[in-house]
Amino acid sequence: MELSAIVEDSCARDWVTVDPDTVEPVRFAVIGLGWFTKGRALPALEASDRCEPSVMVSSSTEKAERVAAETEGADRGITYEQFHDGVASDAYDAVYIVTPNALHLEYVETAADLGKAVLCEKPMERDSERAARLRDVAAEAGVELMIAYRMHTEPSVRRARDLIEAGYVGEPMSVTGDMSQRLLDRIDPNPDQWRLDEDLAGGGALFDIGIYPLNTARYLLDADPRSVTGNTSSTHDAFDDVDETVAFSVAFPEEVYGQFYASHNARQSSGITVTGTEGQVRIEPAFFQDQTRELHVSRGDGRASVTIEKVDQMLAEFDYFADRVRGDEPIDADGDHGLVDMRAMEAVYEAAETDRWVSVD
């Protein structure tokens, strides 16, 4: 594939299958109204011509109704208990679940009972057993389930995948990826913050941000881990319950190896690189939403860097989900896909405890 083809229409929505003018928008019940929902998800839903944020669901009626009043297109604000009781279920077609990880399953169970499609934030749950139950509940009810991997619709990642599939790098040999941030500068570090609670989160830096380079590597290579090894560490008291930093290696099929790093107590940084027998593709910065991405490519003696226009990743993710719900094409990041990450991350934790390579079942 020529680089000119990458530059031209680099942000084209090549996943679109349904004209939004020919179908009704997908109406969402948004479950969990924390900072991410209010700052990222709701503005994207308001901007979409394929989706509508119809019902807000929170721990209190007052909060749910207040956020509903502030959200264009929202009709109702209800409590978690009311959601489980089916209140306002005629006002939405799908649910977007943005609660702490360990609470995902219960909302998928109710959504399945109500026959509603599900967009569930990653990771799927706090452990792979609950994630498998979540997948099965949706499948048995016949409802659409998508895990919210926003990098799958990020243009720079899709263009890098195009290059790799076209053979630009030759045969892939290695992939490296990292994501780090100073989490305590962004959130209240008190013990009640759910990302620092293993029971609610399931894991620390690995589950929260290590999943980005892991899953993006899977997407770029179109391959799943066979085995992993790794180490975790924590130096700050706030991370007594979960890992602050993780470094892990992944063996993919065809003798492709990955090296990944994630930290909740390091300078903000992110990137991912695939190196092959003939060339290399790198995205840096890669994973944080507000940054303009650079796609760096090299082959032989030639090198080039392409600036990819910044897009609203949440808007693209919601629109992709709506396209699949209203159309006939299957969802790429379904429950089976999300479960692979859960099992791989648990294997990393087992490897850190046993100091060995662990197979990913």
Side-chain angles (χ1 to χ4, degrees), residues 253-268:
E254 307 299 329
E255 302 300 320
V256 180
Y257 291 92
Q259 302 287 334
F260 305 102
Y261 171 85
S263 178
H264 268 327
N265 199 19
R267 173 185 177 273
Q268 179 173 303

Side-chain angles (χ1 to χ4, degrees), residues 5 14 33 58 63 79 84-85 140 152 155 195 259 285 306 313 327 333:
D14 52 351
L33 304 179
S58 190
K63 181 177 182 180
T79 65
H84 288 306
D85 289 339
E140 290 164 6
H152 289 205
R195 286 178 175 81
Q259 302 287 334
V306 179
Q313 294 178 343

Side-chain angles (χ1 to χ4, degrees), residues 4 48 169 205 271 313:
S4 59
S48 175
V169 304
Q313 294 178 343

Side-chain angles (χ1 to χ4, degrees), residues 150-159 286 293 308 311 313:
R150 56 183 166 80
M151 302 313 296
H152 289 205
T153 48
E154 161 55 45
S156 62
V157 173
R158 294 183 72 85
R159 300 295 78 79
R293 266 145 263 279
I308 304 297
V311 302
Q313 294 178 343

Side-chain angles (χ1 to χ4, degrees), residues 171-175 221 223-224 226-227 250-258 275-277 357:
E171 294 296 323
M173 300 293 287
S174 75
V175 54
L221 298 173
D224 293 337
R226 294 186 308 175
S227 59
V250 176
F252 290 97
E254 307 299 329
E255 302 300 320
V256 180
Y257 291 92
T275 302
T277 54
W357 283 86

